[in-house]
Amino acid sequence: FANKGTTHFALEQDRAILCGVVKHGYGNWNAIREEIRNDTSLLFQHTVQGMNIDAIAKRCDYRMRQMEKELEVRQKKLNTIKPPAVEEAEIALAAIKNMEAWEREADMMQLQGEPAPPIDSFVKEGLDTLGDYLNEHKVCVEKLREVETQLRGCKVLAEETKEAILRGDQYVNYSH
C-alpha cells in the first residue's frame, strides 16, 4: 500500500501500527513507536522502524479512513441485499396474486360458457415454489420416519433389557 508520499507499506506494517493503536490507545504515539521498534517481525524494515511520531499518526489516520470507507461500502451492499425469507415471501405474494387473477379469469370465462384457462400459465412461479417446498417437506418426513424407526428399536431393546434384568439373567445384551 502506498501512502500519499513516497513511503510504501506492507500489510504487516499497517497491522503492526493498528495493533499498537488497539493495545496502547489512539494518540499514544510514543508507546506505539516503541512497540513497532521492538517488533521482531519488522526487524529489517527500516522504513517503518525509523518512523517518527507524526508519520505513525498520519499512517494510522490514513488506514482508519480507508477502513471506514470500506465499511460504508459493505454496509451499503448489505442494505441493498434482501434476506432470502423476504425474497421467498415476495414470490409467494406474486403467486397468490397470479392465482387470484386466474380465478377471476376462470370465473369470467365460465360465465360466458367457455372452459377455464390452464392454471399453469398464471401460476408457474408459484408452482415451482410449491414444488420446492414439497420436496423439502418430503426429505424432512423421510428423516423423521427414520428417526421414528430407530426410536422404536430403542424402545424394544429397552423393554427386552428391562425384562432380562427383572428375570435375573446373568448376561444382559444392551445392544442389537
Side-chain angles (χ1 to χ4, degrees):
F1 298 102
N3 205 359
K4 290 183 180 179
T6 58
T7 309
H8 292 275
F9 290 83
L11 188 59
E12 60 269 4
Q13 295 166 342
D14 283 334
R15 282 186 183 147
I17 292 172
L18 294 174
C19 286
V21 170
V22 169
K23 186 174 181 179
H24 300 289
Y26 182 84
N28 197 355
W29 306 121
N30 284 324
I32 295 169
R33 183 181 66 199
E34 290 306 313
E35 176 94 12
I36 291 170
R37 286 184 178 169
N38 296 327
D39 191 343
T40 56
S41 65
L42 300 174
L43 195 57
F44 297 107
Q45 299 180 11
H46 303 292
T47 57
V48 177
Q49 287 204 343
M51 288 176 70
N52 62 25
I53 295 172
D54 292 335
I56 292 172
K58 276 184 177 180
R59 185 62 187 176
C60 181
D61 289 340
Y62 173 73
R63 290 301 289 159
M64 289 177 129
R65 281 192 306 274
Q66 280 185 323
M67 288 187 288
E68 286 173 354
K69 287 177 185 176
E70 185 178 328
L71 186 62
E72 287 174 9
V73 168
R74 287 182 182 184
Q75 192 64 40
K76 284 180 185 178
K77 185 176 181 180
L78 285 175
N79 289 341
T80 60
I81 296 174
K82 291 181 186 177
V86 172
E87 289 179 1
E88 290 297 321
E90 288 174 347
I91 290 170
L93 287 173
I96 291 169
K97 289 179 182 177
N98 287 338
M99 187 65 188
E100 289 172 348
W102 177 82
E103 287 177 343
R104 284 191 301 274
E105 182 76 20
D107 288 345
M108 291 299 292
M109 291 179 79
Q110 287 175 345
L111 286 173
Q112 296 172 357
E114 300 175 21
I119 194 167
D120 293 349
S121 61
F122 282 87
V123 291
K124 174 70 174 121
E125 207 169 283
L127 290 174
D128 291 342
T129 303
L130 178 62
D132 292 344
Y133 169 77
L134 291 176
N135 287 336
E136 289 175 13
H137 181 55
K138 182 179 177 183
V139 170
C140 289
V141 167
E142 289 171 358
K143 288 182 180 181
L144 285 173
R145 285 186 180 143
E146 183 180 321
V147 169
E148 185 179 23
T149 303
Q150 291 174 356
L151 186 61
R152 275 194 212 118
C154 289
K155 285 182 179 180
V156 169
L157 178 63
E159 194 60 38
E160 290 172 358
T161 303
K162 178 181 173 185
E163 290 172 7
I165 291 171
L166 292 176
R167 281 193 311 262
D169 290 353
Q170 193 169 16
Y171 174 75
V172 178
N173 185 7
Y174 293 103
S175 63
H176 274 259

